[in-house]
Amino acid sequence: MRSVVAEWLRAEDRERVAAMTSGERVRLALALGDQAVADYARNHQLSLDEARQRLREISDGSRRSRKADRASAR
């Protein structure tokens, strides 16, 4: 079942982002990243530095796993 309201909100968001300059989009992306780290830190009772480190480790582990998967598929 598709939500008309959700589709309308997505379209509105796409239009808003499309109207931004590249600098504004970069600032938005960085702000969203900072908010995600803050949310992760709060949800896991970590400092911001600890949250960044843990998220970096998770990301690095995922990247190594995908690389290993591709290598073994050859």
Side-chain angles (χ1 to χ4, degrees):
M1 177 191 271
R2 298 182 70 131
S3 168
V4 174
V5 173
E7 288 180 20
W8 177 77
L9 290 172
R10 278 192 296 274
E12 186 178 84
D13 201 38
R14 277 192 304 272
E15 290 170 11
R16 183 178 56 82
V17 172
M20 293 178 161
T21 66
S22 59
E24 290 170 331
R25 286 193 300 272
V26 168
R27 281 190 291 281
L28 175 61
L30 292 172
L32 290 171
D34 288 344
Q35 184 61 52
V37 171
D39 290 345
Y40 185 86
R42 186 175 45 258
N43 289 332
H44 292 88
Q45 291 81 44
L46 300 169
S47 71
L48 288 176
D49 288 337
E50 290 170 324
R52 281 188 195 95
Q53 180 61 36
R54 192 171 295 176
L55 289 168
R56 197 171 294 120
E57 290 168 358
I58 291 167
S59 177
D60 289 347
S62 175
R63 195 172 11 262
R64 277 191 292 275
S65 174
R66 288 190 306 262
K67 191 174 182 179
D69 289 345
R70 284 192 304 270
S72 66
R74 293 179 193 178

